[in-house]
Amino acid sequence: MSGSRPNIVIMYADDLGFGDLACYDCKDIPTPNLDRLAASGIRFTNGYATAATCTPSRYSLLTGSYPWRNPLAAILPGDAPQLVTPEMKTMPKMLKKAGYHTGIVGKWHLGLGDGNLDWNGSINGTPNDVGFDYSYIMAATNDRVPTVYVKNREVENLDPNDPIEVTYEDKPFPGEKTGRDNPELLRMKHSHGHDGTIVNGVGRIGHMRGGASALWNDETMYAVFLKEACEFVERSQEEPFFLYYAFHQPHVPRLPAPPFQGATKLGPRGDVIVEMDYCVGKFLDKLEELGIRENTIVIFSSDNGPVLDDGYIDEAPETNAACRHNPAGPLRGGKYSLYDGGTRVPTLLSWPEKVDPQVSDAVICHVDFHHSFAKMTGVALDEDEAIDSFDVLDALTGQVSTARQTLVTEGYGQKTLVRKDNWVYIPPYEGSETAWGTGNETGCRLYDQLYDMNADIAQASNVAESNPEKLAELKALHQEIYNSEASRS
Ligand code: NG6
Ligand code: CA
């Protein structure tokens, strides 16, 4: 595979769990297009994000380094300065060296600007400054202001006479309608947080005013990003391209478009997963129509594990309980958690021309794409580039069934744990045992936890006491990697 330059597409869901797709044994959500993708390539059973929250995971995906090395890599507000800065060595920059045309469509959540961001001019510090030739993004999340699209360096459809102002201080603008003070204007109530500016009848995190002509509509967002993704590949089909297509589903607020409302018995959370699956199907159709599907690597995964109540009352806990749908499948925990449900996520890779359909148990992590694709395209990494990214190309292409031996992932608040082979060690931590308001177990405990993932995928039995040697080995390994300057060779 070395020296080849297929197109690369990374589709990244937002908060999709290990048990949310039919190809991962889910019975409650029809996802025929993702199942088609799975059947055409490799379905990984041990595919990991580096973190149980969004910003740190995405940071790793693009930089090939662990997020806990950077103390700023936490869930960012919508007006945060760029976390991935122009001097950093990124995967899209590496692919540009190999001659790729690069683009991002969808959720960014890695900060914009270099401090004191002015949304009304040309923004310095966008994905275009860190390796993307084209970008069409939402700045942060669909529950954070500003609720506008940013195309390359500018807010799309902005009227200069109605400038945008944004603040994350707890101080509404004069006259602003907020979820806290105007609950009668809400069509979806919040359960925690999300009581800032009301946009489209939904309270968001943060405050904004102005920009009326630029505001997005949640129900058309799926179509807007799909169109952008398809147009990017149409424009780029003559050269190898890399597209990072970052979905907003099934992150809150979950507002499916009318054709998808009621598509599942799980309420809006299930319905937006069907909506996302529709987008996957249409996008794959586009690749086929252009005759480039065979030589395009299509990866699908999720930035972190699932959550039911993430701050809005949309019946997810009730409907999921009624259907006995566990969005993390057999795994314990979910988004924010140190347990496997936080970071082990659906991971599919299809490359029809080169890769045979199969299921792989190899342990791979999103942080590894950078190094693996450098290997594939023949780009030499600098010594200080992609410092935690392993070359797992042979596992990604299905030639071998093993990959990483060790992996350090993190839960909310940069609390880390280590996996080695089938063993997981979670160090003692102080902290809340459930993530605020979500009911999700964080994994924080005041004692050592050791799990044998082969015997106990649900992490139900802590075997630390009965395996003192293994415990000591993993403790030492965790410290060694945590204190290292780089973990790849
Ligand atoms: C939390 C939000 C949650 C979600 C998360 C980020 C509250 C109470 N909770 O702070 O709703 O936005 O941040 O999710 O506001 S992520 O997938 O982008 O990491
Ligand atoms: Ca997420």
Side-chain angles (χ1 to χ4, degrees):
M1 307 289 165
S2 202
S4 44
R5 294 192 308 159
N7 305 311
I8 303 169
V9 177
I10 298 181
M11 298 188 184
Y12 221 42
D14 193 359
D15 300 357
L16 188 76
F18 194 69
D20 277 326
L21 300 182
C23 53
Y24 283 85
D25 289 337
C26 169
K27 307 273 180 284
D28 307 291
I29 309 173
T31 49
N33 296 299
L34 282 158
D35 301 338
R36 160 159 74 109
L37 184 67
S40 74
I42 310 185
R43 181 173 72 81
F44 289 93
T45 63
N46 279 303
Y48 285 87
T50 58
T53 54
C54 171
T55 301
S57 281
R58 289 163 198 258
Y59 175 85
S60 293
L61 176 74
L62 295 184
T63 64
S65 54
Y66 283 139
W68 42 265
R69 295 192 188 279
N70 184 341
L72 300 175
I75 299 173
L76 294 179
D79 63 349
Q82 54 191 342
L83 176 69
V84 179
T85 53
E87 356 27 286
M88 288 183 185
K89 294 171 180 171
T90 66
M91 179 163 64
K93 280 187 193 168
M94 178 279 292
L95 289 169
K96 274 168 73 75
K97 284 190 202 161
Y100 279 68
H101 186 64
T102 58
I104 168 172
V105 171
K107 175 172 176 170
W108 176 238
H109 209 185
L110 289 167
L112 291 174
D114 34 24
N116 297 320
L117 178 57
D118 178 1
W119 297 94
N120 303 294
S122 173
I123 301 171
N124 190 18
T126 71
N128 300 50
D129 296 296
V130 300
F132 289 102
D133 295 314
Y134 179 75
S135 65
Y136 188 95
I137 57 168
M138 69 157 88
T141 59
N142 44 341
D143 57 353
R144 280 173 176 73
V145 300
T147 48
V148 296
Y149 299 117
V150 180
K151 181 173 177 176
N152 294 318
R153 300 188 180 282
E154 275 158 29
V155 171
E156 196 182 41
N157 296 330
L158 182 64
D159 173 355
N161 297 318
D162 181 24
I164 294 177
E165 289 170 87
V166 172
T167 179
Y168 273 74
E169 282 172 32
D170 190 14
K171 215 172 46 190
F173 292 105
E176 178 196 330
K177 302 286 186 214
T178 66
R180 191 181 308 173
D181 295 332
N182 306 88
E184 75 285 356
L185 299 178
L186 296 174
R187 61 175 165 140
M188 182 184 259
K189 304 258 184 268
H190 45 269
S191 52
H192 49 281
H194 304 105
D195 58 0
T197 309
I198 299 176
V199 183
N200 297 331
V202 179
R204 315 281 166 158
I205 306 175
H207 300 284
M208 81 176 279
R209 70 173 165 188
S213 58
L215 296 180
W216 71 49
N217 174 323
D218 301 86
E219 276 86 352
T220 57
M221 188 175 280
Y222 80 104
V224 170
F225 287 151
L226 174 61
K227 179 166 173 286
E228 282 291 332
C230 290
E231 287 177 0
F232 175 81
V233 299
E234 268 173 11
R235 288 197 302 271
S236 318
Q237 58 179 303
E238 301 304 334
E239 44 196 338
F241 62 80
F242 166 58
L243 172 65
Y244 173 30
Y245 181 5
F247 297 107
H248 65 289
Q249 302 104 332
H251 196 281
V252 295
R254 302 166 185 134
L255 297 162
F260 308 99
Q261 291 169 9
T264 67
K265 292 193 180 117
L266 295 176
R269 185 174 186 279
D271 298 351
V272 297
I273 294 173
V274 174
E275 182 184 83
M276 177 184 67
D277 180 73
Y278 167 88
C279 296
V280 169
K282 287 289 173 201
F283 181 79
L284 294 177
D285 289 348
K286 174 56 72 179
L287 296 180
E288 258 157 43
E289 182 192 313
L290 297 174
I292 54 177
R293 173 78 179 89
E294 294 284 304
N295 195 32
T296 298
I297 293 180
V298 178
I299 291 171
F300 174 89
S301 197
S302 174
D303 66 341
N304 53 254
V307 57
L308 294 176
D309 180 348
D310 207 12
Y312 293 97
I313 300 172
D314 66 3
E315 297 175 7
E318 296 80 9
T319 51
N320 280 261
C323 293
R324 294 171 191 249
H325 172 65
N326 182 353
L331 307 178
R332 182 170 178 178
K335 183 175 182 178
Y336 310 113
S337 178
L338 288 154
Y339 294 120
D340 252 40
T343 49
R344 204 202 291 199
V345 283
T347 307
L348 309 173
L349 183 149
S350 161
W351 183 8
E353 196 171 279
K354 293 275 168 62
V355 173
D356 295 330
Q358 59 198 279
V359 175
S360 171
D361 298 329
V363 175
I364 56 152
C365 180
H366 303 160
V367 74
D368 299 329
F369 295 140
H370 191 148
H371 194 165
S372 306
F373 292 144
K375 180 75 176 300
M376 180 180 78
T377 53
V379 175
L381 292 181
D382 293 340
E383 206 172 313
D384 61 349
E385 178 173 0
I387 55 177
D388 298 301
S389 187
F390 287 26
D391 168 16
V392 297
L393 184 63
D394 290 346
L396 292 179
T397 50
Q399 296 169 81
V400 298
S401 56
T402 53
R404 275 183 171 262
Q405 224 190 341
T406 61
L407 172 67
V408 174
T409 56
E410 68 174 54
Y412 178 70
Q414 296 199 320
K415 294 184 173 117
T416 54
L417 67 133
V418 69
R419 175 168 175 159
K420 178 171 188 241
D421 301 322
N422 52 309
W423 296 94
V424 164
Y425 167 62
I426 304 178
Y429 288 120
E430 282 190 42
S432 165
E433 290 187 9
T434 53
W436 67 96
T438 64
N440 264 6
E441 263 193 298
T442 58
C444 288
R445 297 288 185 274
L446 293 171
Y447 44 83
D448 289 316
Q449 296 179 72
L450 183 71
Y451 298 99
D452 176 351
M453 301 309 296
N454 280 356
D456 178 25
I457 193 173
Q459 296 181 302
S461 318
N462 178 8
V463 294
E465 274 181 29
S466 48
N467 292 274
E469 281 174 18
K470 200 38 92 179
L471 178 65
E473 181 193 337
L474 267 83
K475 265 184 154 172
L477 178 69
H478 176 249
Q479 278 307 305
E480 186 192 319
I481 300 176
Y482 194 77
N483 294 325
S484 68
E485 303 217 329
S487 64
R488 77 165 167 90
S489 50

